[in-house]
């Protein structure tokens, strides 16, 4: 795989005095990780540790009628076997969703089975081996009902909400009138499969109770929110729950939500009065810890004779479990991007006997934009327009204050720079017209990338000490994306220091709540809190200095002061100032503490649509005889506000583009129609791209100054790379072969017989 670092001009490393923002620092936890010094949850072995193994159901619907608890219990080393007959009690009913972000959970509340992989027992033993053998000896017996596993036998329903509490239907304009006024109508169905997060690190927990105090080592994307939820399940004050989550081997959304297995292990630790460790196996991650739900989407578009979109009707049937309601908000992908006189996005639910889906990297947008961007390509073709020309004609560009996406002005630059770098101008419009020297069919396709930039309420604390040292703290989560590195850079910038000059603490719930590491909003949310807490600390220092006749800053209160390399200086004369340490020492104060809570300015959130944007261009080569498809080039240009760390931002785009490649050509969980079980619940048969599948990647960072998104100008980059990429590859496959494939992943059998 060749990674192109040369194209970046807009986000050059900067060495601005007193700031680290903009510099391509390497990860602060990188050395710890590559040398094995970083410890993950399951690496913790407190004294008296007991080992739990979860037993998952092997049927998708029915009841457990018997388990050989006696045989399991007799096995040497077994401490306790938990089944519904001796299940731990919980202060919160696991069948009740816990607002605002709760899921119904399986906590051995009864003998029914609602999906394959559902926890039906937890075996705790002195060793992992004993617990594993005890689990095997249980040999559950089932009464089995027929599993509903697909569109044919699932139960359709009208959902109350999609995604996390979003409306199931959104519209503007008169759809019927807009279709009636259309010259051409393009309509097709698209489908996307179930996908599983497959974080490298499994869901694990080491739970330790000390009376009513609970300490959890676990990978967790939402520390404060999770503490509150555990407190309710176990009826203890929230301040009694501490989560340590210093390193995560990936999360992708699945570690932002509670799940049954981890809660059962915590309950076991309480009952047994011993610390308990549970780590799911790879196969056990295909069920009780969420996944990206299947969708069946229909896109109908009305077009005028000059190629303008008049109407968009995007429908999604989104699969969910038989007992809960997380629906992939796929149709909403059509809401923010293309201008049409009328638009309707609507969802239906489909109940299947599967574990409840949940948010997975770009939930809604990934599946929805896959369909949308292929449909846009088909619409362009129907109008006889080049796909780029068609998108330039139809994307919604507007001015600040218009209520339409301001940032879409940057989208034009993404289109233009991406196309330029890719060489899109050379593309023949007709399909199946390019071959390489080896006779492989070559195709070029594109897709638009878009992702919202939400912010979560977040808090941070900055302590400036009399010895000149500075400590910044927020309970942030770094699941591999580099958040801690970027957050420290933002904190340093606010203080006029370099990132290595501050001590940065994060990753534990006792620190100020940094909000959720999700929705591509973590850097903006926690970063703004850190920045504001730094400014608060500086204001307190300035207050002391400007009122002290012995300070060179005396009387500068109205003029203002600036932080410069550990000093406060006068705004009008930077040569006059003094060190933070001297200000505090003379005032006989050991420290000042700056604190901040932050969230987005609500007025701006109402006035402006807020999105990150991008354009992705793909080249594929297809073997005309064998149908083998390879992505050979991917170029993405992305605008996502201010770039704090170009190295990390580019990594996020690469990761997203590789994920998009995976979505387009590799990934799908396959359910056995007879048993309702995922047949490929391992990384051998659940395909994700390996290095040989990943093409030359180029991510162009388009500079964007968005004064409304937040005071630090930061948007999100974690999820957008998937959007656009999936459609770009599918469209390139069409361009190579003339075959329009409308389901994912695209496989050899879709191409054979060319
Ligand atoms: Mo993500 S699916 O917002 O962790």
């Amino acid at each position: 795989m060749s990674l192109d670092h040369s194209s970046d001009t807009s986000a050059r490393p900067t060495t601005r005095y007193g700031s680290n923002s903009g510099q391509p620092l390497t990860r602060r936890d990188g050395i710890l990780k590559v040398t094995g010094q970083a410890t993950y949850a399951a690496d913790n072995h407190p004294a008296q540790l007991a080992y739990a193994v979860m037993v998952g159901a092997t049927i998708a619907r029915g009841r457990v009628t018997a388990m050989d608890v006696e045989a399991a219990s007799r096995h040497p080393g077994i401490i306790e076997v938990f089944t519904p007959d001796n299940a731990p009690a919980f202060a919160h009913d696991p069948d009740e969703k816990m607002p605002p972000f709760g899921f119904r959970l399986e906590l051995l509340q009864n003998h029914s089975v609602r999906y394959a992989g559902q926890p039906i027992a937890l075996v705790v033993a002195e060793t992992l081996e004993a617990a594993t053998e005890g689990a095997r000896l249980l040999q559950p017996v089932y009464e089995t009902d027929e599993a509903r596993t697909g569109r044919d036998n699932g139960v359709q329903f009208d959902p109350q909400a999609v995604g996390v509490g979003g409306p199931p239907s959104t519209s503007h304009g008169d759809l019927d009138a807009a279709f009636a006024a259309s010259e051409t109508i393009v309509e097709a169905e698209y489908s996307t499969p179930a996908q599983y997060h497959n974080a490298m690190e499994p869901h694990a927990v080491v739970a330790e109770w000390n009376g009513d105090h609970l300490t959890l080592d676990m990978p967790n994307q939402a520390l404060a929110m999770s503490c509150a939820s555990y407190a309710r399940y176990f009826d203890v004050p929230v301040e009694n729950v501490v989560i340590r989550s210093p390193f995560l081997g990936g999360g992708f959304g699945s570690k932002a939500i509670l799940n049954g297995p981890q809660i059962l292990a915590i309950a076991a630790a309480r009952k047994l009065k011993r610390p308990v460790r549970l780590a799911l196996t790879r196969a056990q991650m295909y069920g009780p810890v969420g996944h990206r739900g299947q969708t069946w989407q229909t896109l109908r578009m009305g077009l005028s004779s000059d190629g303008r979109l008049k109407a968009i009707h995007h429908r999604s049937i989104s699969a969910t479990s038989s007992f809960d309601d997380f629906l992939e908000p796929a149709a909403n992908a059509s809401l923010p991007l293309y201008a049409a006189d009328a638009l309707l996005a609507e969802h239906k639910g489909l109940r299947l006997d599967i574990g409840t889906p949940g948010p997975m990297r770009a939930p809604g947008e990934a599946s929805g934009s896959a369909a949308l961007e292929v449909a846009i390509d088909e619409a362009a073709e129907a109008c006889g327009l080049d796909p780029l020309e068609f998108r330039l004609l139809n994307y919604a560009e507007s001015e600040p204050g218009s209520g339409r996406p301001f940032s879409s002005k940057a989208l034009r630059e993404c289109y233009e720079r991406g196309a330029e770098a890719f060489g899109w101008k050379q593309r023949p419009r007709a399909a199946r017209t390019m071959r390489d020297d080896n006779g492989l069919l070559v195709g070029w396709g594109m897709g638009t990338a878009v992702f919202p930039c939400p912010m979560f309420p977040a808090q941070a604390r900055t302590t400036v000490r009399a010895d000149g040292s500075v400590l910044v703290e927020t309970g942030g989560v770094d699941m591999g994306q580099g958040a801690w590195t970027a957050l420290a850079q933002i904190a340093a910038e606010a203080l006029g220091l370099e990132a290595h000059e501050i001590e940065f603490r994060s990753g534990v719930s006792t620190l100020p709540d940094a909000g959720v590491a999700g929705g591509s909003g973590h850097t903006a949310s926690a970063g703004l809190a850190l920045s504001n807490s730094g400014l608060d600390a500086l204001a307190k220092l300035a207050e002391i200095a400007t009122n002290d006749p012995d300070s060179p800053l005396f009387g500068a209160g109205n003029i203002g002061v600036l932080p410069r390399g550990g000093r406060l200086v006068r705004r009008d004369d930077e040569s006059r100032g003094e060190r933070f340490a001297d200000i505090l020492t003379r005032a006989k104060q050991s420290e000042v503490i700056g604190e901040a809570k932050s969230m987005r300015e609500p007025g701006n959130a109402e006035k402006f649509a807020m999105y990150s944007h991008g354009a992705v261009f793909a080249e594929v080569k297809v073997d005309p005889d064998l149908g083998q498809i390879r992505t050979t080039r991917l170029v993405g240009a992305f605008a996502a506000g201010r770039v704090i760390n170009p190295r990390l931002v580019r990594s996020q785009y690469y990761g997203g583009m590789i994920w998009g490649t995976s979505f387009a050509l590799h990934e799908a969980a396959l359910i056995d129609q007879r048993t309702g079980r995922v047949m490929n619940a391992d990384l051998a048969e659940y395909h994700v791209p390996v290095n040989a599948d990943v093409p030359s990647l180029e991510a162009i960072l388009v500079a964007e100054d968005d004064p409304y998104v937040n005071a630090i100008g930061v948007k999100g980059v974690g999820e957008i790379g998937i959007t656009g990429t999936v459609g770009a590859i599918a469209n390139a496959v069409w361009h190579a072969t003339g075959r329009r494939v409308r389901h994912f992943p695209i496989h050899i059998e879709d191409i054979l017989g060319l």
Side-chain angles (χ1 to χ4, degrees), residues 40-42 44 46 204-210 213-220 222-234 236 238 240-247 258-259 261-270 274-278 507-510:
Y40 293 81
N44 290 286
V205 63
V206 173
E208 189 166 9
W209 286 90
N210 187 349
H213 289 257
L214 172 63
T215 303
L216 299 170
D217 291 294
M218 59 160 42
N220 192 301
L223 299 177
M225 199 168 79
S226 301
C227 284
S229 304
Y230 291 127
R232 282 183 58 186
Y233 266 101
F234 292 99
V236 295
V238 63
N240 287 13
V241 184
V242 174
I243 300 178
R244 296 184 291 218
S245 190
F247 302 102
L258 299 194
N259 61 68
Q262 282 171 320
I263 294 181
L264 285 172
I266 299 167
R270 187 179 221 182
R274 283 178 69 167
V276 168
R277 168 195 187 275
L278 171 77
V508 57
S509 65
T510 48

Side-chain angles (χ1 to χ4, degrees), residues 101 197 221 251-256 292 358-363 451 456 479 516-521 719:
F101 194 46
H197 303 80
Q221 291 174 242
F252 315 121
S254 74
K255 289 168 182 168
R292 193 197 300 284
M360 174 163 149
R361 202 172 181 189
F451 198 81
F456 306 102
M479 53 189 150
V516 184
S520 299
E719 292 164 277

Side-chain angles (χ1 to χ4, degrees), residues 683-700:
L683 286 178
E685 295 191 75
Y686 183 91
H687 293 165
V688 294
V690 298
N691 274 0
D693 299 310
V694 178
S696 154
L697 295 170
E698 185 177 340
I700 298 165

Side-chain angles (χ1 to χ4, degrees), residues 21-238:
S21 288
Q23 293 184 16
L25 301 192
T26 54
R27 287 156 209 266
R28 31 192 318 128
D29 51 359
I31 289 176
L32 292 177
K33 282 184 172 170
V34 298
T35 56
Q37 295 177 76
T39 53
Y40 293 81
D43 293 331
N44 290 286
H45 293 87
Q48 291 296 306
L49 181 64
Y51 294 80
V53 165
M54 184 199 101
V55 180
T58 53
I59 64 163
R61 186 155 70 114
R63 278 151 302 282
V64 180
T65 54
M67 278 191 272
D68 199 344
V69 175
E70 227 182 273
S73 304
R74 265 201 316 269
H75 186 73
I78 298 293
I79 300 167
E80 177 99 51
V81 177
F82 293 95
T83 72
D85 295 327
N86 63 339
F90 295 96
H92 177 84
D93 178 356
D95 275 309
E96 286 294 320
K97 286 153 83 93
M98 192 185 290
F101 194 46
F103 284 75
R104 299 197 166 107
L105 298 175
E106 298 72 42
L107 294 173
L108 308 179
Q109 58 265 50
N110 55 50
H111 289 279
S112 72
V113 174
R114 309 195 274 200
Y115 62 90
Q118 173 191 314
I120 56 170
L122 190 82
V123 180
V124 187
E126 297 292 346
T127 64
L128 177 61
E129 291 75 9
T132 304
E133 180 60 9
R136 194 192 65 80
L137 288 166
L138 277 178
Q139 301 289 330
V141 179
Y142 302 97
E143 197 176 279
T144 307
D145 298 329
E146 195 189 331
R148 297 158 299 188
T149 55
R151 196 174 168 184
D152 318 332
N153 56 2
V155 181
Q156 244 191 63
F157 69 104
D158 287 313
Q160 301 285 309
V162 296
V164 184
S169 158
T170 306
S171 67
H172 76 78
D174 183 338
L175 197 71
D176 292 341
F179 274 121
S182 297
E183 195 82 11
T184 310
I185 290 176
V186 178
E187 177 169 350
E189 282 189 40
Y190 307 84
S191 65
T192 63
Q195 300 174 346
Y196 284 75
H197 303 80
N198 273 306
M200 287 289 284
E201 180 199 20
H203 294 72
V205 63
V206 173
E208 189 166 9
W209 286 90
N210 187 349
D212 272 349
H213 289 257
L214 172 63
T215 303
L216 299 170
D217 291 294
M218 59 160 42
N220 192 301
Q221 291 174 242
L223 299 177
M225 199 168 79
S226 301
C227 284
S229 304
Y230 291 127
R232 282 183 58 186
Y233 266 101
F234 292 99
D235 194 23
V236 295
V238 63

Side-chain angles (χ1 to χ4, degrees), residues 60 164 181 309 357 371 399 440 445 510 663 706 722:
V164 184
L309 276 167
E399 294 300 319
L440 297 177
T510 48
F663 195 126
D706 185 329
I722 305 172

